[in-house]
Amino acid sequence: MHLYWMQLHITPGIVAMTASLKLISHKLCPYVQRAVIALKEKGVPFERIDIDLASKPDWFLKLSPLGKVPVLVVPTERGEVALFESNVICEYIEETQAGSKLHPVDPLQRAEHRAWMEFGSAILGDLWGLETTTDPATFESKRQALVAKFERVEAALGTGPFFAGNAFSLVDAVFAPIFRYFDLFDELTPHGIFNDVPKVRAWRAELAKRPSVRSAVGADYPQLLRAFLVRHDAHLLKLAA
Ligand SMILES: N[C@@H](CCC(=O)N[C@@H](CS)C(=O)NCC(=O)O)C(=O)O
């Protein structure tokens, strides 16, 4: 008990590791995966609690102001604090936890990385449209929006293997779950989104090998994603041969 209080006052980050962090999650959510990948890259133990977003538990609605996952529950001396918004959670993990640094040291580069993390969220917006629409014209406009966005990503990439060279960063944690969607989408239709972006293709292949990325979802992820498309009567499924 005494030691616990010593740690509590000296290094709150260590307490967060001792009394484990809890990540309120969903099995398919790409925003959750960002946080999971960041925690795994740093070797931080945490408890993952997957919830059903179609039937949100009351305790979750009390905790999450926007009713969205992820939420990181952080134990502190004033009780548990519920952090929401995936990029905010990733920044908190980066600032408080030991292990590899996931942001550049240089402030301008760090700001650029944060901007590309936001760009990843914009890509997820288009992806949501692509995967949920029942309408062929909307599908095509989202497909074209994604082609254009990945052209911008291509221009921002260097020689790899990761976004910023040899060091895995939070930008990689944001894009890995984006690329994961295409493991299934590639099976369904020749969408052509990565046809003219060789650096993006190489980056995608590299991220798919990363242990933190691979273990950020369960083995049932492909079946769950397919079932999600079926529930939305997705146009994407109709393109399947
Ligand atoms: N901007 C949020 C987006 C999170 C988000 O959209 N989560 C989805 C699941 S992937 C969610 O919880 N949706 C439930 C809802 O909107 O009711 C973040 O970065 O954390």
Side-chain angles (χ1 to χ4, degrees), residues 17-18 28 40 51 59 85 90 113 124 131 146 162 176 179 210 218 236:
M17 286 178 68
T18 313
L28 283 177
K40 284 177 182 263
I51 62 160
W59 62 262
E85 283 299 320
C90 286
H113 276 224
L124 283 173
E131 67 176 335
L146 285 164
F162 299 117
F179 292 135
R210 190 84 174 174
L236 185 51

Side-chain angles (χ1 to χ4, degrees), residues 29-31 53 56 67-70 85-86:
C29 179
Y31 301 96
L53 286 170
K56 297 174 186 171
K68 293 180 187 222
V69 290
E85 283 299 320
S86 60

Side-chain angles (χ1 to χ4, degrees), residues 162-218:
F162 299 117
F163 179 75
N166 285 323
F168 187 97
S169 73
L170 287 177
V171 182
D172 297 286
V174 165
F175 275 80
I178 292 172
F179 292 135
R180 192 192 307 279
Y181 281 101
F182 290 95
D183 295 345
L184 175 62
F185 297 174
D186 289 358
E187 286 176 23
L188 299 176
T189 180
H191 52 75
I193 289 170
F194 301 119
N195 279 2
D196 299 323
V197 286
K199 288 181 181 175
V200 172
R201 288 202 303 272
W203 187 28
R204 175 186 172 189
E206 195 62 39
L207 290 178
K209 291 190 263 174
R210 190 84 174 174
S212 64
V213 170
R214 296 177 76 90
S215 61
V217 294

